[in-house]
Amino acid sequence: MNIAPNRLLDALMRTDFLTFAQRVFREINPNREFHVGWHHQTIAYFAARAAAGGDIDRLIVNLPPRSAKSTLLSVALPAFVLGRDPTKRVIVVSYNQNLSNSFSRQTRQVMQTPWYRRLFPDTVIPNRAAEEQYFTSRGGWRMATSTGGTLTGKGGDLIIIDDPLKADDAYSETARDALYGWAMKTLFTRLDEKTKGSIILTQQRQHEDDLSGHMLRTGEWLDISLPAIAVTEERFILSTTPLRSHLRRVGDLLDPVREPLEVLRGLKRQMGTAAFEAQYQQAPMPPDGDVIKLSWFRTYDALPEGGETVFSVDTASKAGLRNDWSVIGVWRIVDDRCYLDYLWRRRVEYPELKRSLIDLAGQYLPNRILIEDKGSGSGLLQDLKAEGYPVNAYEPGSLDKESRMRIQSAKIEAGRVLLPAQAPWLEEFQNEVRRFPNGAHDDQIDALSQLLDYAFAPKDTFFILSYRT
């Protein structure tokens, strides 16, 4: 048996992070192949430099989802760092503790393999090492925590932040501000030696004010931004010994094997332009009124037959001129297309709202009436239930109005929402779309968001209070 190649490979894995990371990938994904691209080479090169401390102490890596960033940076890099120096202390952060623990278990799995112990005999962790934190026999450790977690008394040499905000919270200003405050006041203060410690932040972009956005505006971070489709010509360093680089030209795909152009185009259609530009192109659009574009709506001349008729109701509590409007949207849902048939919008007191809704129900015979279960809507739900109408109590969750509409906007962009070519109420609806989210009122938008949530969600997620017989 020729052992020289094995010894050479072992020596390479001890010194070259990407070679080591490839072995890690095979260990935790035995039935999958790791297609190493030039982008993995540049990520590995800069991550290894940042982890070593010195000239790069703040590194941002922005790239599309499912690009092996977590395997490289949250799983392989801590094992590599602790193998080369078992006294190092590494903190790894993700938005969810379960996810963070999962990465920690994979690192532990790697560090307990015979091949890892052969490579780094001085780095030993207990056989029953805990998930959230385990120590080497030389006093170093790896700690897993989540965004907002307690780090009192904990300090590290290397902090790795991997997707610190879940996608559902990306459009929540409260969630973004909470993350930024925690990062600045808690996490970033945990470096033991501020002049030698390093922080690596990796994520798919989600919003212009996500954590990457905040950090990039300081001008103190090195940014490796890797859009799925290149929009500028840029050269990326792959190594310095020997010196190698990759020239990426406009239009070049990041991973043409896994995500060719037709796949990316399909993703853009499914996600909508705003989400695709953020998550795949690393170029989030500013939320300055572009949540919904009028050009996304299609028009119709005649309603199709069949389907179901759905009322989407947004209630206001009072009828004053400064208060919101009450809205009843009459929709026809046919073959995954939503046709707006009629829009009733008034400032009225509760009795007139109820009376108008009942009149419209007699005219259009709705299969469903959607009403948010809060404020005056709760009373309306109960009254209509008692009278046998097919009411559905709608629960929008914790997201704010803008966030909910952003999530639904992809359906509009995909051409699934149709407006009549002409209607007396159409212009005011279009004006509210243009002004959102900066307009004085958003009642029609709320009713639209509610309708789309119902139309494209599993029907058992809506609690049907009653059917009219």
Side-chain angles (χ1 to χ4, degrees):
M1 178 179 178
N2 185 1
I3 62 173
N6 291 336
R7 288 179 176 175
L8 180 62
L9 179 60
D10 283 359
L12 191 59
M13 285 194 292
R14 291 188 192 99
T15 57
D16 182 72
F17 173 51
L18 182 58
T19 305
F20 174 81
Q22 290 176 264
R23 182 64 183 87
V24 169
F25 187 92
R26 292 198 303 273
E27 178 66 36
I28 63 177
N29 300 281
N31 298 318
R32 293 175 57 197
E33 184 178 355
F34 185 17
H35 296 282
V36 178
W38 65 265
H39 55 295
H40 297 120
Q41 297 178 56
T42 198
I43 293 170
Y45 168 73
F46 283 104
R49 281 182 60 182
D55 60 334
I56 299 177
D57 62 354
R58 299 291 185 274
L59 174 66
I60 291 176
V61 180
N62 292 321
L63 72 168
R66 311 305 300 168
S67 298
K69 65 178 177 56
S70 295
T71 298
L72 285 171
L73 301 178
S74 291
V75 179
L77 188 59
F80 186 73
V81 169
L82 290 171
R84 291 169 60 86
D85 186 349
T87 68
K88 290 289 187 180
R89 289 164 289 186
V90 182
I91 299 173
V92 184
V93 181
S94 294
Y95 70 82
N96 177 279
Q97 187 66 52
N98 289 334
L99 179 62
S100 193
N101 286 349
S102 175
F103 296 148
S104 182
R105 287 194 299 271
Q106 291 177 333
T107 300
R108 181 182 63 183
Q109 174 186 337
V110 168
M111 295 178 68
Q112 291 177 336
T113 60
W115 64 264
Y116 181 89
R117 290 180 173 175
R118 183 180 71 247
L119 292 178
F120 305 112
D122 292 337
T123 302
V124 180
I125 62 173
N127 289 331
R128 295 186 178 182
E131 287 183 351
E132 294 189 8
Q133 186 174 13
Y134 40 85
F135 296 80
T136 71
S137 55
R138 298 284 298 277
W141 44 257
R142 184 200 191 283
M143 178 184 180
T145 190
S146 60
T147 300
T150 301
L151 293 170
T152 304
K154 303 294 184 181
D157 303 301
L158 172 64
I159 296 174
I160 300 169
I161 311 165
D162 185 349
D163 280 335
L165 191 66
K166 64 180 180 179
D168 287 348
D169 288 338
Y171 296 113
S172 169
E173 183 176 0
T174 300
R176 296 194 307 270
D177 288 348
L179 168 61
Y180 177 70
W182 177 78
M184 298 303 295
K185 296 177 183 178
T186 300
L187 183 62
F188 292 174
T189 66
R190 295 296 99 188
L191 288 176
D192 283 336
E193 296 188 56
K194 303 299 188 293
T195 59
K196 296 181 180 179
S198 302
I199 303 175
I200 299 174
L201 167 61
T202 182
Q203 66 169 86
Q204 52 182 294
R205 291 302 305 274
Q206 299 165 318
H207 190 278
E208 65 169 356
D209 287 327
D210 58 18
L211 191 57
S212 278
H214 277 293
M215 297 303 101
L216 289 173
R217 286 193 288 272
T218 69
E220 299 175 354
W221 293 64
L222 174 63
D223 176 33
I224 308 298
S225 183
L226 301 167
I229 306 171
V231 294
T232 61
E233 185 172 296
E234 191 171 1
R235 185 174 293 278
F236 293 85
I237 297 175
L238 308 182
S239 72
T240 53
T241 53
L243 180 62
R244 294 186 303 115
S245 64
H246 175 82
L247 177 62
R248 193 179 190 199
R249 294 182 170 86
V250 175
D252 284 354
L253 303 183
L254 185 66
D255 194 342
V257 175
R258 291 181 58 254
E259 293 179 336
L261 186 58
E262 58 269 23
V263 170
L264 294 173
R265 286 173 174 168
L267 287 168
K268 186 175 182 179
R269 287 192 298 269
Q270 295 167 25
M271 300 171 62
T273 299
F276 183 85
E277 287 295 313
Q279 296 179 35
Y280 279 82
Q281 291 299 94
Q282 314 314 310
M285 296 180 178
D288 56 359
D290 62 350
V291 176
I292 317 169
K293 296 182 182 298
L294 283 179
S295 60
W296 293 349
F297 291 93
R298 295 186 181 180
T299 59
Y300 69 88
D301 293 318
L303 281 174
E305 297 292 331
E308 66 173 336
T309 298
V310 178
F311 284 9
S312 185
V313 182
D314 184 72
T315 63
S317 57
K318 296 182 180 180
L321 293 176
R322 294 177 181 268
N323 293 301
D324 286 333
W325 301 67
S326 289
V327 169
I328 304 170
V330 180
W331 294 84
R332 180 80 62 84
I333 303 175
V334 183
D335 297 330
D336 287 333
R337 297 289 187 273
C338 300
Y339 299 80
L340 183 54
D341 188 5
Y342 177 74
L343 196 61
W344 180 98
R345 183 173 183 256
R346 304 282 191 277
R347 283 192 176 103
V348 296
E349 298 288 353
Y350 178 83
E352 185 176 349
L353 170 61
K354 177 184 172 183
R355 185 166 52 251
S356 298
L357 197 154
I358 291 175
D359 289 343
L360 287 172
Q363 180 181 350
Y364 289 93
L365 302 177
N367 303 100
R368 300 283 186 273
I369 299 175
L370 312 178
I371 305 173
E372 186 174 347
D373 191 6
K374 73 172 187 179
S376 60
S378 298
L380 187 59
L381 279 165
Q382 297 305 317
D383 286 353
L384 293 177
K385 172 188 176 183
E387 297 183 30
Y389 287 89
V391 290
N392 285 45
Y394 176 69
E395 174 50 59
S398 59
L399 294 179
D400 58 32
K401 296 178 179 182
E402 181 181 345
S403 301
R404 298 200 299 268
M405 193 63 250
R406 282 186 175 276
I407 292 171
Q408 301 300 333
S409 63
K411 283 92 167 179
I412 305 173
E413 187 178 3
R416 295 186 174 187
V417 181
L418 293 89
L419 307 177
Q422 292 183 338
W425 43 263
L426 185 59
E427 183 178 0
E428 186 52 43
F429 174 83
Q430 292 173 328
N431 287 339
E432 186 168 302
V433 169
R434 290 188 183 96
R435 292 189 292 262
F436 184 77
N438 302 311
H441 301 287
D442 49 24
D443 34 84
Q444 297 173 98
I445 299 297
D446 286 351
L448 171 60
S449 174
Q450 178 175 264
L451 181 281
L452 293 177
D453 197 3
Y454 167 83
F456 298 102
K459 293 303 179 283
D460 59 2
T461 62
F462 286 80
F463 176 45
I464 301 174
L465 292 176
S466 174
Y467 289 97
R468 185 174 60 171
T469 57

